[in-house]
Amino acid sequence: MYNTKCPAFSATPTLLRRFGSQLIKSAVLSASTSLRVLALGGEAFPSLTALRNWREEGNRTQIFNIYGITEVSSWATFYRIPEKMLNSTLQCDLPVQLGFPLLGTVVEVRDANGFPIQEGDGQVFLGGRSRVCFLDEEMTVPLGTMRATGDFVTVRGGEMFFLGRKDSQIKRHGKRLNTEHVQQVAEGLQQVESCAVTWCNQEKLILFVVSTEDVVKDDLFKELQKYLPSHEIPDELLLVDALPLTSHGKIDVLKLNKIYLNQMNMKSDCKLSEKEELWGKLQYLWKSILSLSEEPVQIPKESLFLQSGGDSLKSIRFLSEIENLVGTSVPGLLEIILSSSFSEIYNHILQTVFPDEVLPGSRRYATKRKYSDTHQEESGRKPRRQQADASLNCGCDFCAFTALSRGGQTLTRHGTRLFTRSAQCPSPRSSDVTSQIHMQSVNPLPIVEKSEKPETGAEKLELSVRWKADTGKCVDASPLVIVPAVDKSSATVYIGSHSHRMMAVDLYSGKVKWEQILGDRIESSACISNCGKFIVVGCYNGLVYVLRSDSGARHWIFPTQDTIKSSAAMDPITGLLYIGSHDQHAYALDIYKKACVWKLKCGGTLFSSPCLSPSPHHLYFATLGGLLVAINPVTGDRIWKHFYGKPLFSSPRCCLQYVCIGCVDGELLCFTHLGEQVWQFSTGAPIFSSPCIMASEQEIIFGSHDCFIYCCNMKGQLQWKFQVTSRVYATPFAFQNHRSSDQTLLAVASTDGKLWVLESKSGQLQSVYELPGEVFSSPVVWESMLVIGCRNNYVYCLDLVG
């Protein structure tokens, strides 16, 4: 037991904590203690908050931070904590400095290249002419040898502050963190007596806590979220009676990890056994992850994870907890967590774990429905209007048309020549597909947060409903608009809905030209074929449907092995169609030969749509596993890949120089066509919106879940941002103002149903219109008509009038 008459006491911080804060305060560091010196070393020094809590008012013990390594016979530096610092009531998050070298000791801080530095971060090296120890099999050591400590510090104004050991610097969720910093923050909480953090099996961040009182783990998580960023929040928090120590008085990390693994093994014996337990346990996990223990007992069925306080990192933790509960992996669940309601998450898990359970209206995946003959109707169901066509040889039979799809993507075919351009600024290519694009410099605009109020004195623009068409259920897909060259008045909108219905609607009148009932929900947007005679669309049942554009008749059905939400991309050079599936494969289809030319496993679920670059001829796919892949479109060979490590829901977009994509961590990433990352731009929330690259290739427009629309230049610098009233999921569409040919406008939707029209150079609001339902569809504009889908079951065409 501790002797209060001892004039000096040296220990590791962990050993001192074993006494407990009450005993430390009442005896070791009491006002009446005879202890004159307390020297703490061998581990990271306690936070000043913890130190102050240990001292009784009136205590006069001198407290030292001592630092060193065995390789130089232990202590090498010391620092006496000033009385003023100990008595201060000001919040201080900085670590205590290491202090001054002992006599005969040389201290250097070196950067990653081994050069001494006077300011900044680096590793500590210790030595001196007389401070030498023999290690392992060493027989001689030159005088003045400097030993690498493995300890990292930051040097500020000549003072060294401990950052952590090399093995405490870890990379988690794509970001660096220091486990000792997490520990210091946790021990500063009032409920925490002592704690330790481990990186178990290099995959789980575990916080072990000895509490001062009976505490609820959810309450501790709430407190940690106040002081730590998301990537530093532990995966697990375990309450323990005491922290195990090594023979040197330090925390025994191996024993702590064993405690955690034993507890996980015990949990595995209590996994979900009956489907009736799932709803309640899923509710508990949801509230636990989101720290909603004080909320009402039942989580509403329509609750969305991101809107309830979740983020991409919490979603990964939620996924891990669910898979641990059910005892198996749940394919596609991460996407469902991030984009769907609580009840949809529940149904997805239920169908995976209990596949025999019949759920009315639930998804049916292609893995449960295989086709021996892709020309047959699925499950005996007949199409509503048309029977399947015979094979058509359309390789040389072309129609002249203009096709517009989300993000301002425009294709124009004249006879056998096809031109690609941006919708707002026609620029015919010098060959069938490629052209030279002249880069123009853009002077940075003042960075101003725009408001919802239109600019004073500007011409007033209004949106009014031209027509609306009932699809039967929610419309999350984006429209495809096809304008024939011979008769523009017969332009057609192609769009699918959750009702399984694929529709062709006259752009000008809203009259339904044809509709086709497919096998399941449609969220994939349609794509036109090279010849203009077919549209291609993916379906929840894992099938790719090739339909006649004039009648909806089925030309071909190609099966993948899982849900398809990805929208197809067409290669005007080869005529191939490219599409991704939740089965983790990218597919290249020849719809004329009715054959799969190649397929490539991409190492993650393919949710977003592929992007084709004509020059260089690259095809880009992104996965929910955080992988961006460049593929040779002709052969299917992988050209390069970049692993970002976080889900990519946004679709990649290309220009002559770069390919850009948004991520759920709020970053917009920019790469060269060689796979080198050029820059990244940070927003405050996940980016599901795909980038829209302007015709000048000088600006990128995109939305974020932080309720802003952003405009960046090609250096990743913010030009302007505009605040809307809800999350932005849709992709912006740039188009020319039909009343002013020199003005480019932007149309973008927020999820609360509002359509925003902005001036592209300044971000100034021109008009706003509210639809009677949520919107996840992206707008497409032709002339003065804006087409978009809505979750109130309708597809809308609105006129933009002055």
Side-chain angles (χ1 to χ4, degrees):
M1 189 64 185
Y2 168 71
N3 181 359
T4 58
K5 297 186 180 297
C6 178
F9 180 43
S10 176
T12 62
T14 297
L15 184 59
L16 180 64
R17 289 187 183 98
R18 292 294 292 269
F19 293 121
S21 58
Q22 294 303 317
L23 183 58
I24 295 173
K25 193 168 188 175
S26 63
V28 182
L29 296 176
S30 67
S32 59
T33 182
S34 61
L35 183 68
R36 293 189 299 108
V37 173
L38 173 63
L40 298 176
E43 293 176 324
F45 196 78
S47 67
L48 284 173
T49 302
L51 207 58
R52 291 165 182 165
N53 291 336
W54 290 345
R55 295 176 78 240
E56 189 176 60
E57 187 176 352
N59 174 262
R60 291 293 180 265
T61 303
Q62 297 180 32
I63 302 176
F64 287 81
N65 180 16
I66 53 177
Y67 167 75
I69 55 174
T70 304
E71 289 83 347
V72 292
S73 64
S74 200
W75 309 128
T77 69
F78 74 98
Y79 179 70
R80 178 186 171 186
I81 316 301
E83 194 69 22
K84 183 179 179 180
M85 188 181 290
L86 290 171
N87 293 330
S88 174
T89 58
L90 296 176
Q91 180 71 27
C92 181
D93 296 326
L94 289 176
V96 173
Q97 64 169 287
L98 295 185
F100 312 99
L102 295 174
L103 186 64
T105 303
V106 177
V107 179
E108 284 185 0
V109 180
R110 300 180 183 177
D111 62 18
N113 297 317
F115 296 108
I117 59 173
Q118 303 301 319
E119 198 79 13
D121 298 349
Q123 184 179 182
V124 178
F125 282 74
L126 296 177
R129 292 186 62 82
S130 59
R131 303 223 55 179
V132 175
C133 289
F134 295 99
L135 304 178
D136 302 324
E137 303 298 322
E138 290 179 342
M139 300 298 294
T140 60
V141 177
L143 294 177
T145 295
M146 300 294 288
R147 300 286 194 182
T149 63
D151 295 319
F152 287 83
V153 298
T154 186
V155 183
R156 300 177 188 169
E159 298 176 342
M160 293 185 300
F161 296 89
F162 185 67
L163 294 177
R165 285 201 49 78
K166 185 176 182 179
D167 50 14
S168 71
Q169 308 288 312
I170 66 172
K171 192 170 185 180
R172 180 171 179 253
H173 303 315
K175 295 185 178 180
R176 290 280 176 189
L177 70 85
N178 183 351
T179 58
E180 290 173 352
H181 173 253
V182 178
Q183 180 175 323
Q184 286 207 340
V185 170
E187 73 179 6
L189 302 180
Q190 186 176 358
Q191 310 97 312
V192 176
E193 177 79 48
S194 59
C195 64
V197 177
T198 71
W199 182 229
C200 187
N201 292 338
Q202 295 188 331
E203 60 180 23
K204 286 289 186 76
L205 191 66
I206 315 298
L207 173 63
F208 299 85
V209 171
V210 179
S211 61
T212 56
E213 55 194 44
D214 290 336
V215 297
V216 178
K217 289 200 294 184
D218 289 348
D219 294 338
L220 284 178
F221 266 119
K222 278 185 178 179
E223 287 296 307
L224 288 172
Q225 288 168 357
K226 293 178 182 178
Y227 306 107
L228 291 173
S230 293
H231 71 282
E232 293 188 10
I233 299 296
D235 295 299
E236 295 279 356
L237 193 157
L238 269 65
L239 299 176
V240 294
D241 296 328
L243 298 174
L245 303 183
T246 67
S247 58
H248 299 290
K250 298 183 180 182
I251 293 172
D252 193 327
V253 173
L254 292 178
K255 284 187 178 178
L256 283 176
N257 285 337
K258 189 174 181 180
I259 291 172
Y260 166 70
L261 293 173
N262 286 341
Q263 183 153 330
M264 289 302 100
N265 289 335
M266 291 175 63
K267 270 190 176 182
S268 65
D269 296 333
C270 304
K271 292 189 186 301
L272 188 72
S273 57
E274 297 180 351
K275 60 180 179 291
E276 287 76 13
E277 301 174 3
L278 178 61
W279 182 266
K281 290 190 175 182
L282 193 62
Q283 292 252 340
Y284 170 78
L285 289 178
W286 179 286
K287 290 187 285 187
S288 175
I289 298 295
L290 299 179
S291 301
L292 301 175
S293 55
E294 298 176 4
E295 295 296 316
V297 175
Q298 289 291 317
I299 300 297
K301 293 181 180 180
E302 65 276 7
S303 295
L304 297 172
F305 189 78
L306 292 174
Q307 285 187 342
S308 302
D311 55 32
S312 60
L313 303 183
K314 290 178 182 177
S315 70
I316 294 171
R317 185 170 156 224
F318 189 34
L319 171 66
S320 176
E321 291 283 3
I322 291 172
E323 291 186 337
N324 183 64
L325 171 68
V326 301
T328 184
S329 62
V330 186
L333 181 57
L334 181 59
E335 174 219 327
I336 301 295
I337 291 171
L338 286 169
S339 61
S340 303
S341 66
F342 181 87
S343 61
E344 288 175 307
I345 296 170
Y346 168 78
N347 287 336
H348 184 84
I349 300 167
L350 195 62
Q351 189 165 352
T352 301
V353 181
F354 300 97
D356 296 331
E357 177 71 10
V358 178
L359 291 172
S362 65
R363 302 184 183 96
R364 291 291 183 182
Y365 294 109
T367 49
K368 299 181 177 70
R369 179 191 293 158
K370 303 291 180 63
Y371 278 70
S372 57
D373 180 1
T374 58
H375 298 280
Q376 296 176 357
E377 303 295 344
E378 63 270 28
S379 303
R381 178 179 293 179
K382 295 181 179 180
R384 183 165 177 173
R385 297 288 176 91
Q386 300 288 341
Q387 298 297 324
D389 263 12
S391 296
L392 299 174
N393 182 8
C394 299
C396 298
D397 191 5
F398 293 97
C399 300
F401 63 86
T402 296
L404 301 99
S405 54
R406 62 177 182 170
Q409 299 177 95
T410 305
L411 297 173
T412 299
R413 174 173 286 287
H414 295 299
T416 60
R417 294 173 61 81
L418 189 143
F419 306 103
T420 64
R421 67 177 189 263
S422 296
Q424 77 278 16
C425 185
S427 93
R429 306 294 181 172
S430 60
S431 67
D432 281 2
V433 184
T434 61
S435 74
Q436 290 200 344
I437 299 176
H438 301 285
M439 301 296 289
Q440 300 176 353
S441 60
V442 176
N443 294 324
L445 298 170
I447 298 171
V448 180
E449 292 188 11
K450 305 299 179 181
S451 69
E452 192 175 333
K453 186 177 179 181
E455 183 180 5
T456 304
E459 179 187 20
K460 186 177 181 182
L461 297 175
E462 292 184 355
L463 286 165
S464 60
V465 176
R466 184 185 187 95
W467 54 258
K468 63 179 183 178
D470 188 359
T471 71
K473 279 191 178 179
C474 299
V475 186
D476 284 344
S478 300
L480 168 69
V481 176
I482 303 296
V483 183
V486 293
D487 182 12
K488 293 184 179 180
S489 64
S490 64
T492 305
V493 177
Y494 297 94
I495 197 164
S497 84
H498 289 201
S499 66
H500 308 185
R501 194 177 304 175
M502 189 69 205
M503 298 175 63
V505 185
D506 184 273
L507 173 62
Y508 288 89
S509 68
K511 179 182 178 181
V512 177
K513 295 183 176 182
W514 58 258
E515 62 182 32
Q516 178 72 271
I517 301 299
L518 306 187
D520 208 328
R521 180 188 300 186
I522 306 165
E523 289 186 13
S524 169
S525 301
C527 175
I528 191 72
S529 67
N530 196 27
C531 64
K533 293 201 170 185
F534 302 101
I535 61 166
V536 180
V537 66
C539 186
Y540 256 58
N541 62 359
L543 301 180
V544 180
Y545 289 85
V546 182
L547 309 176
R548 284 292 302 260
S549 59
D550 59 352
S551 65
R554 302 186 188 191
H555 168 62
W556 184 43
I557 300 172
F558 174 78
T560 72
Q561 297 301 305
D562 209 332
T563 294
I564 300 174
K565 292 190 179 182
S566 172
S567 302
M570 188 268 291
D571 189 343
I573 296 176
T574 64
L576 296 179
L577 274 296
Y578 309 105
I579 198 166
S581 168
H582 276 43
D583 67 5
Q584 303 190 13
H585 285 87
Y587 294 87
L589 305 178
D590 186 331
I591 64 171
Y592 306 113
K593 295 181 179 179
K594 298 184 179 181
C596 177
V597 177
W598 57 257
K599 76 173 184 177
L600 177 69
K601 188 165 186 179
C602 295
T605 295
L606 294 168
F607 171 90
S608 65
S609 304
C611 174
L612 186 74
S613 167
S615 180
H617 196 206
H618 286 181
L619 178 67
Y620 295 102
F621 277 93
T623 78
L624 297 190
L627 197 67
L628 178 64
V629 187
I631 301 170
N632 183 319
V634 178
T635 65
D637 294 329
R638 188 182 289 111
I639 300 171
W640 58 261
K641 63 181 180 180
H642 178 88
F643 180 69
Y644 189 65
K646 301 182 189 66
L648 299 170
F649 282 84
S650 169
S651 299
R653 287 290 180 262
C654 298
C655 64
L656 191 64
Q657 285 186 307
Y658 302 126
V659 56
C660 301
I661 191 169
C663 183
V664 296
D665 66 351
E667 302 287 331
L668 182 73
L669 311 173
C670 180
F671 300 87
T672 68
H673 289 291
L674 296 176
E676 300 168 345
Q677 185 170 346
V678 183
W679 51 260
Q680 62 188 64
F681 176 86
S682 299
T683 72
I687 301 174
F688 282 52
S689 170
S690 301
C692 169
I693 298 180
M694 302 294 287
S696 65
E697 303 204 353
Q698 296 289 342
E699 297 93 21
I700 305 168
I701 316 291
F702 64 97
S704 170
H705 277 35
D706 66 358
C707 304
F708 277 95
I709 301 163
Y710 291 87
C711 175
C712 293
N713 64 21
M714 282 301 176
K715 295 181 179 179
Q717 298 166 335
L718 180 65
Q719 303 296 282
W720 54 259
K721 65 178 182 177
F722 178 87
Q723 186 170 15
V724 295
T725 52
S726 184
R727 297 174 298 145
V728 180
Y729 190 102
T731 300
F733 192 101
F735 62 100
Q736 281 184 342
N737 184 350
H738 66 287
R739 299 176 62 84
S740 176
S741 59
D742 61 347
Q743 185 185 43
T744 301
L745 301 177
L746 296 168
V748 67
S750 50
T751 55
D752 58 358
K754 286 187 179 179
L755 296 174
W756 309 84
V757 178
L758 310 177
E759 200 281 322
S760 67
K761 289 294 183 183
S762 64
Q764 183 66 49
L765 179 66
Q766 305 294 299
S767 184
V768 61
Y769 182 89
E770 186 169 4
L771 293 171
E774 287 188 313
V775 172
F776 288 80
S777 173
S778 298
V780 170
V781 180
W782 171 254
E783 295 179 341
S784 62
M785 292 171 286
L786 184 155
V787 186
I788 193 167
C790 182
R791 283 198 164 181
N792 73 335
N793 305 348
Y794 284 84
V795 55
Y796 285 83
C797 178
L798 299 103
D799 279 321
L800 183 62
V801 295

